[in-house]
Amino acid sequence: MSYDFDLFVIGGGSGGIACARRAAEYGAKVGLAENDRLGGTCVHRGCIPKKLMVYASRFPAQFEEATGYGWSKPESHLNWSQMVRAVNNELDRLNGVYQRMLDKSNVQLFRGYAQFVDSHTVAIGDRKVSADKIIVAVGGRPVKPNNIPGIDLAVVSDDMFNLPEQPKSLVIIGGGYIGVEFACIMQGLGTQVTQIIRADRILRGFDGDLRSTLTEAMEKHGIRIFNNSNQIEIEKTDEGVKVISRSDKEDIAVADAVSLAATGRKPNLENLGLENTGVEIVDGAIAVNEISRTSEPNIYAIGDCTPTMELTPVAIREGRIFADTHFGKKDAKMSYENIPTAVFSTPEAATVGLTEEDAKAKYGDEAIKIYRAKFRPLYHTLSGQDEKTLMKLVVNRDTDKVLGAHMVGEHSGEIMQAIAISLKMGATKADFDATVALHPSSAEEFVTMR
Ligand code: NDP
């Protein structure tokens, strides 16, 4: 049977593009369909604009810090539209970069929405193409909970990058990555932020010490966090959007214009024509095995439309491994162990491996030894800022292996990327101890903890 393409990729986000380019490098004939701008969520509505806004949000604290070093405090205010424009200009540039990358890579780009006609055929508008293998990399989008009356009045993270004006106050519902990151960004930019979470603490699934340390720091920055808040309602009033938590017996806050629902994301699977294939969907995501294969043998899926971790580098790695295996004759396999991740809050939080709670559940309390350091970093000493850095190692007592590393503090994302290499290599606490410290740094605490 001959097909138009060896591989057809649906979705031009980070995962889809990485997969398509790698397969084309091996000589495969590759087509890719994208309905929107190239680069997907990460480039246009996620990681990149978010991180640029994180940088923007940290300047006021730096101005403040500088006074401890003898600088006079500058008179400065944020021009919101200028920031939004600057961020969007960068996204336009990146869109162009992706376009040129694809042009050079012999991947044939189809501009339009792709739908399965059958398991080997995809329609993009009037055009039908066939492919031996098809990979679905359609990503996801924010989802608003349907149990909150008035939730339609809330915006989602996609909207935060293009708000016409900076809100004076903002209520955020949700305590995951997006809720926490936007709480810190907006507070740093000068908006009064209230965060409402239904759990006892932010960042469910993260290490308990990390969650507490970050909560403490966010509250010190002025973010009001309401825990265990259920029965939330949103109302439009003359003053703005009012968010009420019946369980807190008070009107939590009046946001002057905006409340943000940061309550999770879901795969973009509607109108894909998956019903014309044998692809199975479980809990709203495409079910895949350990090699990204769906229940239809020639169809694969990667990234946020599957149940794996919703992280850009995971989607990219899954896509490249798929290409390596099928077109590069390499025997590669995706490993989901020890994937580092950072929450770009202020202060930053980062983690790799097992939390204390998970390690104890897996190996038993007695088998786990915890090393912890909490200190005021040198940077804050002259300004007198009382912000603590937390570093923590979770170690298996029997094997001495470091099972997890957690940090809250400046540059923790950068530091954790390097720590992740050592965990991936199976480093023991003795290996950490044998590493000479780099002084003076915060990171040196990771090799000096006793
Ligand atoms: P998360 O799943 O991380 O968090 C969702 C939050 O919303 C949780 O606090 C959850 O509470 C709460 N929630 C869910 N439903 C309701 C409801 N009905 N009422 C009230 N609260 C509710 O999702 P995000 O949207 O924050 O992020 C999606 C994913 O995107 C992340 O999991 C992450 O993988 C990825 N991401 C990664 C980033 C990074 O790498 N830095 C940055 C941003 C996103 P509870 O905890 O009780 O379930």
Side-chain angles (χ1 to χ4, degrees):
M1 185 87 191
S2 90
Y3 298 104
D4 300 329
F5 291 98
D6 299 317
L7 172 68
F8 197 84
V9 181
I10 305 181
S14 307
I17 289 178
C19 175
R21 290 180 63 216
R22 180 67 62 93
E25 274 171 28
Y26 289 122
K29 191 170 180 215
V30 184
L32 182 146
E34 173 56 59
N35 190 38
D36 202 340
R37 300 213 291 174
L38 292 169
T41 302
C42 174
V43 173
H44 298 291
R45 297 172 294 279
C47 323
I48 302 296
K50 178 273 307 285
K51 186 86 186 268
L52 292 170
M53 282 173 74
V54 168
Y55 289 133
S57 72
R58 288 181 180 165
F59 289 111
Q62 287 164 14
F63 300 153
E64 200 69 51
E65 202 84 36
T67 59
Y69 289 79
W71 290 94
S72 59
K73 203 174 164 193
E75 272 302 312
S76 187
H77 74 278
L78 177 72
N79 182 326
W80 175 266
S81 324
Q82 206 175 322
M83 179 195 70
V84 168
R85 206 164 37 247
V87 169
N88 280 297
N89 286 345
E90 174 57 11
L91 307 189
D92 290 344
R93 190 187 70 81
L94 288 173
N95 183 46
V97 169
Y98 274 100
Q99 179 72 58
R100 285 192 292 281
M101 262 180 350
L102 271 191
D103 291 347
K104 280 195 208 138
S105 66
N106 284 330
V107 173
Q108 190 179 340
L109 178 61
F110 292 79
R111 288 277 179 192
Y113 198 84
Q115 288 174 306
F116 281 98
V117 176
D118 59 46
S119 59
H120 282 283
T121 315
V122 164
I124 308 112
D126 302 338
R127 220 155 145 201
K128 276 192 190 149
V129 293
S130 64
D132 180 20
K133 294 187 172 63
I134 300 177
I135 192 154
V136 186
V138 292
R141 63 172 185 281
V143 59
K144 289 182 184 177
N146 52 18
N147 61 345
I148 299 181
I151 195 69
D152 286 348
L153 295 167
V155 301
V156 292
S157 55
D158 292 2
D159 307 310
M160 292 301 292
F161 304 112
N162 282 305
L163 292 179
E165 282 171 24
Q166 178 177 7
K168 286 194 181 56
S169 57
L170 171 73
V171 178
I172 297 177
I173 303 165
Y177 280 83
I178 295 179
V180 167
E181 290 182 340
F182 271 112
C184 296
I185 290 171
M186 297 306 290
Q187 184 75 25
L189 293 174
T191 295
Q192 170 59 57
V193 175
T194 304
Q195 190 171 10
I196 306 177
I197 58 173
R198 66 179 176 184
D200 61 331
R201 267 176 299 171
I202 53 169
L203 295 176
R204 188 159 57 83
F206 280 74
D207 186 87
D209 277 333
L210 178 150
R211 297 169 76 189
S212 306
T213 307
L214 182 57
T215 303
E216 206 180 295
M218 287 169 66
E219 287 181 331
K220 266 194 191 146
H221 291 179
I223 298 168
R224 297 197 306 157
I225 303 178
F226 286 82
N227 303 323
N228 300 311
S229 278
N230 295 299
Q231 301 172 39
I232 301 163
E233 289 172 25
I234 308 177
E235 277 173 15
K236 195 157 179 54
T237 68
D238 291 343
E239 306 99 84
V241 179
K242 181 154 70 170
V243 182
I244 304 151
S245 165
R246 299 281 174 219
S247 50
D248 285 295
K249 296 190 186 61
E250 66 166 302
D251 292 358
I252 278 186
V254 177
D256 70 334
V258 191
S259 68
L260 166 67
T263 46
R265 300 174 59 85
K266 73 169 194 183
N268 286 323
L269 302 183
E270 292 81 11
N271 305 320
L272 257 188
L274 285 172
E275 64 283 2
N276 302 324
T277 70
V279 172
E280 203 187 333
I281 297 173
V282 177
D283 292 333
I286 296 181
V288 284
N289 69 5
E290 70 287 356
I291 55 160
S292 303
R293 184 188 281 152
T294 69
S295 45
E296 180 74 64
N298 72 303
I299 301 179
Y300 294 74
I302 55 168
D304 289 3
C305 62
T306 71
T308 58
M309 290 171 90
E310 293 172 82
L311 297 173
T312 299
V314 170
I316 292 175
R317 179 61 66 97
E318 287 170 344
R320 288 192 178 143
I321 284 183
F322 168 86
D324 289 344
T325 318
H326 293 275
F327 303 103
K329 298 193 175 65
K330 289 188 183 152
D331 189 18
K333 228 189 198 149
M334 179 73 194
S335 161
Y336 294 94
E337 257 185 26
N338 292 325
I339 293 176
T341 177
V343 182
F344 291 100
S345 46
T346 300
E348 223 157 272
T351 187
V352 61
L354 296 183
T355 63
E356 177 178 345
E357 296 79 4
D358 288 347
K360 285 183 171 167
K362 186 167 178 188
Y363 297 100
D365 288 9
E366 293 306 309
I368 298 302
K369 189 152 189 214
I370 300 297
Y371 296 84
R372 191 188 285 106
K374 206 167 178 179
F375 56 95
R376 184 163 72 171
L378 187 62
Y379 177 58
H380 292 316
T381 50
L382 297 193
S383 64
Q385 294 276 347
D386 183 26
E387 184 147 297
K388 296 283 191 297
T389 286
L390 167 81
M391 287 178 176
K392 178 169 174 179
L393 290 177
V394 179
V395 177
N396 185 321
R397 233 181 246 281
D398 301 330
T399 61
D400 198 38
K401 245 177 129 168
V402 179
L403 303 173
H406 311 279
M407 177 173 173
V408 177
E410 283 229 326
H411 311 301
S412 55
E414 307 286 346
I415 293 168
M416 205 54 67
Q417 178 68 85
I419 298 279
I421 302 171
S422 56
L423 262 70
K424 205 73 196 161
M425 294 174 74
T428 59
K429 178 67 169 65
D431 292 323
F432 274 63
D433 295 344
T435 306
V436 175
L438 189 157
H439 185 73
S441 66
S442 287
E444 68 180 309
E445 286 293 328
F446 270 126
V447 298
T448 55
M449 276 192 255
R450 296 172 67 85

